[in-house]
Amino acid sequence: MHKSPPFHNAANEKLAAGLAKVGLVQRHHAWAASGQRGLTPTQSQILALLESRHRDGLPISMLAAESAVSQPTVSDAVAALERKGLAARSRSEADGRVVLVRLTAAGRRTAVQAAQWPDFLLRAIDSLDADERAAFLRGLVKMIHSLQEDGQIPVSRMCPSCDYFRPHAHADREHPHHCAFVDAPIGDTDLRIDCRDHKAAEANERPRLWQLFVGGRPPGPDVPRPALPKS
Ligand code: SF4
């Protein structure tokens, strides 16, 4: 009977252990930094989500879905943020039946501070050279995609699911992809994991985009597809 070599699984386990170590130090920092601001990590996460993605506000149910936390937990966190003057609930102007959670001015200031990446993590990433950073980012995008497909995490606003993304549109090895939003070539180190300008590609287009991204294409003439109009 065919047996797969043990090295493949051993490498996977070592990678999983390495990621867990990085996650552990990040969680420690998140707890400590949130504590210094008088917030829980969930409260910090909600502030960051509202600031970066939903400045017009979001219902509790959507906050729960996007932060992968239960609705009761989000409800408690929002109530605490309201008591601290960092968030407020109000009825949607578009649909009076919907109650939206919005940041107050103080909440926005706190969210911007909370969104800063810790220096120690940036220093650790700085220890990678350009090729290692590009390979690492590309690997992370693939892992996040797999976790999304598996339903483990909410969908991220990443380049490979974006209507503006043109994978391997250029022969340039440094900048093989094209972002039609800024109408410029981009490299693997430019790939975005949570882009404000992301526009979700149609569901039936996403698998093709993904296959083009991971499969690449043979070197050829540097001809990007036509840019889409900005919306
Ligand atoms: S708009 Fe953002 S997510 Fe979309 S292709 Fe450009 S950089 Fe990537």
Side-chain angles (χ1 to χ4, degrees), residues 27-218:
R27 267 201 310 283
H28 276 308
H29 172 85
W31 271 103
S34 295
Q36 282 165 8
R37 295 187 188 97
L39 302 170
T40 65
T42 305
Q43 290 165 17
S44 291
Q45 191 183 2
I46 289 170
L47 290 183
L49 196 54
L50 288 171
E51 206 284 325
S52 74
R53 298 177 62 160
H54 301 288
R55 292 179 166 216
D56 295 333
L58 209 62
I60 296 270
S61 56
M62 295 283 291
L63 271 174
E66 294 217 13
S67 55
V69 178
S70 73
Q71 283 199 38
T73 303
V74 169
S75 230
D76 288 349
V78 167
L81 290 171
E82 283 184 304
R83 288 195 294 277
K84 291 168 186 167
L86 300 176
R89 280 181 245 217
S90 58
R91 299 223 167 255
S92 160
E93 283 167 20
D95 182 348
R97 294 165 300 177
V98 178
V99 176
L100 299 175
V101 181
R102 294 189 172 95
L103 291 178
T104 61
R108 187 150 289 129
R109 282 194 297 275
T110 307
V112 169
Q113 288 167 5
Q116 306 289 326
W117 288 106
D119 285 347
F120 73 86
L121 201 53
L122 295 176
R123 275 198 305 278
I125 293 167
D126 213 31
S127 69
L128 305 177
D129 66 31
D131 286 348
E132 287 168 336
R133 272 201 292 270
F136 193 32
L137 185 53
R138 192 179 165 88
L140 278 176
V141 166
K142 289 174 89 169
M143 282 187 68
I144 292 169
H145 175 81
S146 173
L147 289 165
Q148 285 174 182
E149 293 291 294
D150 214 20
Q152 300 292 332
I153 54 171
V155 174
S156 297
R157 299 181 299 178
M158 299 196 298
C159 291
S161 63
C162 179
D163 202 29
Y164 295 116
F165 191 52
R166 307 285 182 270
H168 301 282
H170 302 282
D172 179 353
R173 292 174 71 91
E174 296 282 308
H175 301 94
H177 317 302
H178 194 86
C179 169
F181 182 78
V182 292
D183 196 16
I186 56 175
D188 280 350
T189 45
D190 303 312
L191 292 172
R192 299 287 187 88
I193 285 185
D194 188 20
C195 177
R196 278 177 193 258
D197 303 315
H198 179 274
K199 180 180 168 197
E202 295 290 336
N204 59 355
E205 170 70 356
R206 284 201 291 267
R208 194 190 72 83
L209 265 182
W210 181 254
Q211 278 313 316
L212 265 178
F213 170 63
V214 293
R217 64 161 214 184

